[in-house]
Amino acid sequence: MPFRISMCSRYVNNVLCQTRTLCSTSPTDHLDSIRSLLQLFVDRYYVSPGVRNVALFKMGLACSYGPSGTELRSNLLNQWWLSMSSSSEQIFGINTLCRHLEVDGGNTFQEPEQISKEQLIKMIGILQESPSMRNNLLLGALEQFIPTFELMNKKLPFGLAETGTCFQSLGGSGCNLAEVTQASLVWFCSPRTSSQWLDHWARHRLKWWRKFALSPSDFSSSDVKEQDLEVAASRGIQISYNFPWGQEPIELLWNRGDTELLQLHEGNHSKLHCRDGRKTVPHVIALSGNMDRGLLAFLSNSLLRREDTKRRLQQRKVLRLHPLLAPVKVALAINRGPTVELRRVCAGLLQEFLEAKISAWPGYLETAPTTMEQLTTKYDEMGVLFTILIGENTLESGLLQVRSRDTTIKETMHISEVKNFISRYIAAADNI
């Protein structure tokens, strides 16, 4: 679909121009702070470089992530799944297809030079209006309601959870679509308790977002104004994050009633009835989180600036990501001593961490000449929890130094204790 990519690229160009125009009216120091923030995420491998890519990232859309960003995104989605599965035994995971788009009775997209003007116009219309380009994960859950309802012996409540790629319109003309990673829970409950369930899930989700935050108060919830309610919704709640450039929504919760269930399963209404003697149809509570914007929120929230003790006029940047989200838990570095022998020790320790599913950074393989100060600065900006310094003492007595990102304190311990120490630290963070 090359034509789609080029058209979307042109649209992002327009967005960038508009952003620069709008930003030009803001104070210079505020703009510099935002640019510095985004540049840090590029420099430390969270977001791939490129003006368009960074613009998509700032807009809360899916972009090209670097190694750190990819791991952080994976950790975030994993924590979302764990939260869903542990909150209720009546939540089931599903995986629905983003349907393939077909044109003219099954002919898939052709090369741009083979497409006539009439075909192009038709395809653009389908891209904008076809349900194949899903903008949320709600429809897939509604489609799977009846078989899951029968699995539950027609008992309520229960939920269907899914994460996946959706498409968001960027406005304007043409194929102005961008990808968004969404995390969705569709909760089916009795009409009598739907309002209470909406409040329950709003509290649960706000607590989840705040759990991983360095500054929890930056996450807040509010009722959606009546004029902003979606067509099928009787009530909505929005969870937002206060970015340096303003507040933006990261998750929406809706009480959607039974309208969409009845419309989708027209002709099968009898299969929708609850076993409560009243022939009532379940109400739908839909939760939808933008995980790309959520990732940006946690990165922004975790940035801490410390005064550099050696250079008073400068500040050190530290990404204090939550231990469960931090993409790299441990970095292994060589302090002083015979390089070949120390690298063997590092390689053995790295393998131990990987076998224990503790993500580790092989800093001992870096060849560029750097001081230990420069190395720890880099790891702090990457959000690495601990830097392990291996030197001559390690070869002689098995002792090494473990530097904490959060306290900057170096603790001496035996090499045999390090893996369990890191594991216990991460496990303890999950219970806070």
PDB file of all heavy atoms in Angstrom, residues 293-309:
ATOM      1  N   ARG A 293       0.328   6.733  24.055  1.00  0.00           N
ATOM      2  CA  ARG A 293       0.339   7.957  24.861  1.00  0.00           C
ATOM      3  C   ARG A 293       0.643   7.641  26.314  1.00  0.00           C
ATOM      4  O   ARG A 293       1.276   8.431  27.022  1.00  0.00           O
ATOM      5  CB  ARG A 293      -1.006   8.679  24.738  1.00  0.00           C
ATOM      6  CG  ARG A 293      -1.041  10.026  25.448  1.00  0.00           C
ATOM      7  CD  ARG A 293      -2.305  10.791  25.106  1.00  0.00           C
ATOM      8  NE  ARG A 293      -2.248  11.291  23.739  1.00  0.00           N
ATOM      9  CZ  ARG A 293      -3.314  11.572  22.997  1.00  0.00           C
ATOM     10  NH1 ARG A 293      -4.534  11.370  23.496  1.00  0.00           N
ATOM     11  NH2 ARG A 293      -3.176  12.032  21.777  1.00  0.00           N
ATOM     12  N   GLY A 294       0.216   6.464  26.772  1.00  0.00           N
ATOM     13  CA  GLY A 294       0.542   6.052  28.139  1.00  0.00           C
ATOM     14  C   GLY A 294       2.039   5.876  28.326  1.00  0.00           C
ATOM     15  O   GLY A 294       2.604   6.246  29.364  1.00  0.00           O
ATOM     16  N   LEU A 295       2.701   5.305  27.313  1.00  0.00           N
ATOM     17  CA  LEU A 295       4.155   5.145  27.359  1.00  0.00           C
ATOM     18  C   LEU A 295       4.832   6.512  27.454  1.00  0.00           C
ATOM     19  O   LEU A 295       5.748   6.719  28.257  1.00  0.00           O
ATOM     20  CB  LEU A 295       4.617   4.392  26.113  1.00  0.00           C
ATOM     21  CG  LEU A 295       6.097   4.024  25.986  1.00  0.00           C
ATOM     22  CD1 LEU A 295       6.245   2.743  25.167  1.00  0.00           C
ATOM     23  CD2 LEU A 295       6.906   5.127  25.327  1.00  0.00           C
ATOM     24  N   LEU A 296       4.372   7.462  26.638  1.00  0.00           N
ATOM     25  CA  LEU A 296       4.919   8.815  26.679  1.00  0.00           C
ATOM     26  C   LEU A 296       4.667   9.454  28.045  1.00  0.00           C
ATOM     27  O   LEU A 296       5.534  10.162  28.576  1.00  0.00           O
ATOM     28  CB  LEU A 296       4.281   9.659  25.568  1.00  0.00           C
ATOM     29  CG  LEU A 296       4.634  11.146  25.528  1.00  0.00           C
ATOM     30  CD1 LEU A 296       6.136  11.358  25.417  1.00  0.00           C
ATOM     31  CD2 LEU A 296       3.905  11.837  24.370  1.00  0.00           C
ATOM     32  N   ALA A 297       3.495   9.186  28.629  1.00  0.00           N
ATOM     33  CA  ALA A 297       3.173   9.746  29.946  1.00  0.00           C
ATOM     34  C   ALA A 297       4.135   9.247  31.013  1.00  0.00           C
ATOM     35  O   ALA A 297       4.639  10.027  31.830  1.00  0.00           O
ATOM     36  CB  ALA A 297       1.729   9.399  30.318  1.00  0.00           C
ATOM     37  N   PHE A 298       4.418   7.958  31.021  1.00  0.00           N
ATOM     38  CA  PHE A 298       5.326   7.411  32.034  1.00  0.00           C
ATOM     39  C   PHE A 298       6.761   7.903  31.827  1.00  0.00           C
ATOM     40  O   PHE A 298       7.477   8.152  32.799  1.00  0.00           O
ATOM     41  CB  PHE A 298       5.279   5.877  32.018  1.00  0.00           C
ATOM     42  CG  PHE A 298       4.073   5.314  32.709  1.00  0.00           C
ATOM     43  CD1 PHE A 298       3.238   4.406  32.061  1.00  0.00           C
ATOM     44  CD2 PHE A 298       3.753   5.679  34.007  1.00  0.00           C
ATOM     45  CE1 PHE A 298       2.122   3.898  32.694  1.00  0.00           C
ATOM     46  CE2 PHE A 298       2.631   5.178  34.643  1.00  0.00           C
ATOM     47  CZ  PHE A 298       1.814   4.272  33.993  1.00  0.00           C
ATOM     48  N   LEU A 299       7.183   8.056  30.579  1.00  0.00           N
ATOM     49  CA  LEU A 299       8.512   8.603  30.330  1.00  0.00           C
ATOM     50  C   LEU A 299       8.602  10.043  30.835  1.00  0.00           C
ATOM     51  O   LEU A 299       9.556  10.419  31.517  1.00  0.00           O
ATOM     52  CB  LEU A 299       8.839   8.552  28.838  1.00  0.00           C
ATOM     53  CG  LEU A 299       9.294   7.204  28.279  1.00  0.00           C
ATOM     54  CD1 LEU A 299       9.449   7.283  26.763  1.00  0.00           C
ATOM     55  CD2 LEU A 299      10.596   6.761  28.918  1.00  0.00           C
ATOM     56  N   SER A 300       7.594  10.837  30.511  1.00  0.00           N
ATOM     57  CA  SER A 300       7.574  12.235  30.939  1.00  0.00           C
ATOM     58  C   SER A 300       7.514  12.343  32.462  1.00  0.00           C
ATOM     59  O   SER A 300       8.202  13.155  33.079  1.00  0.00           O
ATOM     60  CB  SER A 300       6.375  12.946  30.304  1.00  0.00           C
ATOM     61  OG  SER A 300       6.261  14.273  30.770  1.00  0.00           O
ATOM     62  N   ASN A 301       6.696  11.466  33.062  1.00  0.00           N
ATOM     63  CA  ASN A 301       6.505  11.497  34.509  1.00  0.00           C
ATOM     64  C   ASN A 301       7.747  11.070  35.277  1.00  0.00           C
ATOM     65  O   ASN A 301       7.982  11.512  36.409  1.00  0.00           O
ATOM     66  CB  ASN A 301       5.316  10.599  34.878  1.00  0.00           C
ATOM     67  CG  ASN A 301       4.929  10.707  36.332  1.00  0.00           C
ATOM     68  OD1 ASN A 301       5.389   9.941  37.166  1.00  0.00           O
ATOM     69  ND2 ASN A 301       4.082  11.678  36.644  1.00  0.00           N
ATOM     70  N   SER A 302       8.552  10.216  34.663  1.00  0.00           N
ATOM     71  CA  SER A 302       9.691   9.635  35.381  1.00  0.00           C
ATOM     72  C   SER A 302      10.941  10.502  35.346  1.00  0.00           C
ATOM     73  O   SER A 302      11.905  10.229  36.053  1.00  0.00           O
ATOM     74  CB  SER A 302      10.025   8.260  34.789  1.00  0.00           C
ATOM     75  OG  SER A 302      10.540   8.401  33.479  1.00  0.00           O
ATOM     76  N   LEU A 303      10.945  11.541  34.495  1.00  0.00           N
ATOM     77  CA  LEU A 303      12.153  12.352  34.356  1.00  0.00           C
ATOM     78  C   LEU A 303      12.402  13.196  35.597  1.00  0.00           C
ATOM     79  O   LEU A 303      11.561  13.993  36.010  1.00  0.00           O
ATOM     80  CB  LEU A 303      12.047  13.252  33.123  1.00  0.00           C
ATOM     81  CG  LEU A 303      13.277  14.124  32.852  1.00  0.00           C
ATOM     82  CD1 LEU A 303      14.515  13.262  32.617  1.00  0.00           C
ATOM     83  CD2 LEU A 303      13.039  15.055  31.672  1.00  0.00           C
ATOM     84  N   LEU A 304      13.551  12.998  36.175  1.00  0.00           N
ATOM     85  CA  LEU A 304      13.961  13.734  37.370  1.00  0.00           C
ATOM     86  C   LEU A 304      15.262  14.459  37.057  1.00  0.00           C
ATOM     87  O   LEU A 304      16.168  13.901  36.438  1.00  0.00           O
ATOM     88  CB  LEU A 304      14.166  12.766  38.540  1.00  0.00           C
ATOM     89  CG  LEU A 304      14.527  13.357  39.902  1.00  0.00           C
ATOM     90  CD1 LEU A 304      13.351  14.140  40.474  1.00  0.00           C
ATOM     91  CD2 LEU A 304      14.936  12.251  40.866  1.00  0.00           C
ATOM     92  N   ARG A 305      15.360  15.704  37.482  1.00  0.00           N
ATOM     93  CA  ARG A 305      16.583  16.481  37.268  1.00  0.00           C
ATOM     94  C   ARG A 305      17.289  16.662  38.603  1.00  0.00           C
ATOM     95  O   ARG A 305      16.715  17.181  39.551  1.00  0.00           O
ATOM     96  CB  ARG A 305      16.274  17.835  36.628  1.00  0.00           C
ATOM     97  CG  ARG A 305      15.596  17.707  35.265  1.00  0.00           C
ATOM     98  CD  ARG A 305      15.262  19.073  34.677  1.00  0.00           C
ATOM     99  NE  ARG A 305      14.469  18.947  33.462  1.00  0.00           N
ATOM    100  CZ  ARG A 305      14.980  18.822  32.254  1.00  0.00           C
ATOM    101  NH1 ARG A 305      16.296  18.806  32.098  1.00  0.00           N
ATOM    102  NH2 ARG A 305      14.198  18.710  31.194  1.00  0.00           N
ATOM    103  N   ARG A 306      18.551  16.218  38.641  1.00  0.00           N
ATOM    104  CA  ARG A 306      19.363  16.353  39.850  1.00  0.00           C
ATOM    105  C   ARG A 306      20.497  17.339  39.598  1.00  0.00           C
ATOM    106  O   ARG A 306      21.044  17.405  38.495  1.00  0.00           O
ATOM    107  CB  ARG A 306      19.985  15.003  40.232  1.00  0.00           C
ATOM    108  CG  ARG A 306      19.030  13.987  40.796  1.00  0.00           C
ATOM    109  CD  ARG A 306      19.818  12.747  41.156  1.00  0.00           C
ATOM    110  NE  ARG A 306      18.964  11.686  41.661  1.00  0.00           N
ATOM    111  CZ  ARG A 306      19.199  10.396  41.475  1.00  0.00           C
ATOM    112  NH1 ARG A 306      20.268  10.019  40.801  1.00  0.00           N
ATOM    113  NH2 ARG A 306      18.386   9.489  41.959  1.00  0.00           N
ATOM    114  N   GLU A 307      20.894  18.053  40.643  1.00  0.00           N
ATOM    115  CA  GLU A 307      22.058  18.932  40.518  1.00  0.00           C
ATOM    116  C   GLU A 307      23.318  18.096  40.458  1.00  0.00           C
ATOM    117  O   GLU A 307      23.512  17.177  41.249  1.00  0.00           O
ATOM    118  CB  GLU A 307      22.128  19.889  41.709  1.00  0.00           C
ATOM    119  CG  GLU A 307      23.266  20.894  41.603  1.00  0.00           C
ATOM    120  CD  GLU A 307      23.321  21.820  42.808  1.00  0.00           C
ATOM    121  OE1 GLU A 307      22.454  22.694  42.915  1.00  0.00           O
ATOM    122  OE2 GLU A 307      24.227  21.633  43.628  1.00  0.00           O
ATOM    123  N   ASP A 308      24.160  18.388  39.481  1.00  0.00           N
ATOM    124  CA  ASP A 308      25.438  17.687  39.351  1.00  0.00           C
ATOM    125  C   ASP A 308      26.378  18.184  40.436  1.00  0.00           C
ATOM    126  O   ASP A 308      26.704  19.380  40.506  1.00  0.00           O
ATOM    127  CB  ASP A 308      26.026  17.948  37.962  1.00  0.00           C
ATOM    128  CG  ASP A 308      27.164  16.993  37.638  1.00  0.00           C
ATOM    129  OD1 ASP A 308      28.032  16.808  38.499  1.00  0.00           O
ATOM    130  OD2 ASP A 308      27.168  16.439  36.521  1.00  0.00           O
ATOM    131  N   THR A 309      26.815  17.283  41.306  1.00  0.00           N
ATOM    132  CA  THR A 309      27.652  17.683  42.448  1.00  0.00           C
ATOM    133  C   THR A 309      29.012  18.220  42.011  1.00  0.00           C
ATOM    134  O   THR A 309      29.616  19.027  42.713  1.00  0.00           O
ATOM    135  CB  THR A 309      27.870  16.488  43.394  1.00  0.00           C
ATOM    136  OG1 THR A 309      28.402  15.392  42.641  1.00  0.00           O
ATOM    137  CG2 THR A 309      26.555  16.067  44.028  1.00  0.00           C
TER     138      THR A 309
END
